[in-house]
Amino acid sequence: MKKTSTRLADGRELIYYDLSDDTVRDAADRRPLDATVTSSEIRRDPLMGDSVAIASHRQGRTYHPPADQCPLCPSVGDRLSEIPDSSYDVVVFENRFPSLAGDSGRCEVVCFTSDHDASFAGLSERQARLVLDAWTDRTAELSHLPSVEQVFCFENRGAEIGVTLQHPHGQIYAYPFTTPRTALMLRQVAAHKEATGGENLFDAVLERELAGERVVLESEHWAAFVPYAAHWPYEVHLYPKRRVPDLLALDEAARTEFPRVYLELLRRFDRIFDGRDGGKEGAGEPPTPYIAAWHQAPFGALEDFDGVTRDDFALHLELFTIRRTSGKLKFLAGSESGMNVFINDVPPERAAERLREVASS
């Protein structure tokens, strides 16, 4: 991998990650951009104890542009975009409309490929490995910023999820606090550690799932399963078998195997509803909308979690779709949005069975 860092016309950082070591990246951003102005503010909810980002400047962000005006495609001729060069492998740049900025953290965009009509599932294993390397590099770099406590790499895919740019891309949020979801996990880890005399909760969960009926696929270094209490209709958790706190700690064997495993998972998600490979849903369904989310240990101090350290946390990826059946979505209505109590219409055992049924030949 070759890494080249440069600046856009308004001062934002852009980094090229290239498969070839002899690639030259010297194209300048020719757009007449003013300096980026953001108004991100973190406010703490006194009743819930969590934090909310207030970012009014995002009201003006790019919204469903036509394909020939996509800001994530390469710049060609007089058609200028966020990426100055005429081609790229993987690109990461500071979001022009960030939810978090300055002392409130940082937001970045990760473009997986220059092909506007592609998807992550359509990448080669070599390309997917480059994305993994970019995620890892950005996690390392962002963790050193004084305002950053947790780094979150994720992909939103599909208009149903709320994606406003159709080019295959993900995002990285660098939070100035430990997120509420992670804090809940850490409290559970602490309670389990105390109750069992030191057993790790993540290890116990993985051992139980591997012995059960909800395993979707398993390789030498990775395991994917539908969790016992899945919140979403089709939800898969992907764990490295050797517990590590973050992407930086993955060994080379796990890194090498990851692209094959992850691409297979994504391709199965695309087969759930489209009738291929013996599928039982209607043909012609649009690509499955999903969220893919990496959970990494915070980089800040963990004094609030009763003896838990970063090494007690387990890196894992959660992949889920809001589609519950062909043509129907799972909405977060009263119970979910009002009380945070999820109601899942698809039994996790059936979801796992379905994801095994659509395995590629």
Side-chain angles (χ1 to χ4, degrees):
M1 178 188 78
K2 181 181 180 182
K3 175 183 175 182
T4 306
S5 179
T6 185
R7 293 283 171 179
L8 296 173
D10 56 9
R12 289 176 293 132
E13 185 178 17
L14 180 144
I15 308 111
Y16 293 98
Y17 293 90
D18 286 297
L19 291 167
S20 176
D21 289 339
D22 60 1
T23 303
V24 176
R25 298 295 185 186
D26 55 8
D29 185 1
R30 295 179 284 136
R31 297 173 298 171
L33 297 181
D34 295 328
T36 302
V37 178
T38 61
S39 56
S40 181
E41 175 189 359
I42 301 296
R43 297 186 181 181
R44 188 166 180 81
D45 186 327
L47 295 180
M48 300 296 293
D50 58 4
S51 298
V52 177
I54 309 297
S56 60
H57 63 277
R58 284 175 53 79
Q59 287 280 36
R61 66 188 184 274
T62 307
Y63 187 80
H64 292 297
D68 62 357
Q69 297 178 29
C70 174
L72 306 185
C73 287
S75 293
V76 179
D78 293 331
R79 176 187 165 188
L80 306 179
S81 72
E82 290 280 69
I83 296 91
D85 218 325
S86 59
S87 66
Y88 63 84
D89 292 331
V90 172
V91 165
V92 177
F93 60 88
E94 289 184 75
N95 198 321
R96 192 176 180 185
F97 303 97
S99 302
L100 309 166
D103 293 339
S104 298
R106 176 157 157 156
C107 292
E108 298 181 342
V109 177
V110 184
C111 298
F112 303 139
T113 171
S114 61
D115 184 352
H116 181 85
D117 297 317
S119 68
F120 201 120
L123 299 180
S124 68
E125 291 186 17
R126 192 163 176 246
Q127 289 173 306
R129 169 60 191 264
L130 185 62
V131 176
L132 175 63
D133 290 341
W135 283 330
T136 304
D137 181 71
R138 295 315 301 154
T139 296
E141 293 290 333
L142 293 169
S143 70
H144 294 307
L145 296 180
S147 63
V148 172
E149 189 166 312
Q150 185 171 359
V151 179
F152 176 47
C153 307
F154 65 100
E155 180 190 3
N156 297 329
R157 191 242 200 157
E160 299 94 330
I161 297 293
V163 174
T164 57
L165 299 176
Q166 297 310 309
H167 194 104
H169 73 286
Q171 299 180 66
I172 302 175
Y173 276 23
Y175 297 101
F177 51 80
T178 296
T179 62
R181 182 80 179 275
T182 303
L184 284 173
M185 291 185 200
L186 290 169
R187 293 189 192 103
Q188 290 297 103
V189 169
H192 185 85
K193 190 174 184 178
E194 181 178 3
T196 60
E199 182 182 64
N200 183 272
L201 178 59
F202 288 107
D203 292 350
V205 167
L206 182 58
E207 181 180 1
R208 182 184 70 177
E209 293 292 1
L210 285 175
E213 60 181 316
R214 290 178 297 275
V215 175
V216 174
L217 62 85
E218 182 180 358
S219 65
E220 182 178 357
H221 301 286
W222 295 88
F225 57 87
V226 177
Y228 171 74
H231 290 59
W232 299 94
Y234 290 92
E235 175 182 341
V236 174
H237 293 190
L238 176 64
Y239 277 68
K241 289 185 175 178
R242 182 179 70 88
R243 172 166 44 92
V244 295
D246 52 38
L247 289 166
L248 282 68
L250 283 175
D251 60 26
E252 183 57 31
R255 291 180 184 281
T256 299
E257 195 177 67
F258 170 78
R260 176 175 61 83
V261 174
Y262 186 49
L263 290 173
E264 173 61 19
L265 269 183
L266 293 180
R267 290 161 187 167
R268 291 191 193 189
F269 258 61
D270 271 344
R271 296 188 190 105
I272 299 173
F273 306 106
D274 71 0
R276 286 182 291 163
D277 296 318
K280 298 178 176 60
E281 303 289 352
E285 191 76 26
T288 302
Y290 65 73
I291 292 174
W294 279 110
H295 291 264
Q296 305 191 79
F299 289 95
L302 300 180
E303 291 94 344
D304 295 337
F305 303 105
D306 300 325
V308 171
T309 69
R310 293 192 79 250
D311 289 337
D312 290 317
F313 194 86
L315 168 76
H316 60 285
L317 183 141
E318 297 184 8
L319 174 67
F320 61 89
T321 179
I322 63 171
R323 188 177 290 163
R324 56 189 175 88
T325 189
S326 183
K328 297 179 181 178
L329 301 179
K330 165 65 180 176
F331 292 102
L332 299 188
S335 185
E336 291 88 356
S337 295
M339 283 294 166
N340 202 28
V341 177
F342 277 68
I343 300 168
N344 189 353
D345 300 327
V346 180
E349 293 74 21
R350 174 52 189 150
E353 180 183 21
R354 176 74 181 126
L355 287 161
R356 289 192 299 268
E357 288 175 352
V358 298
S360 60
S361 58

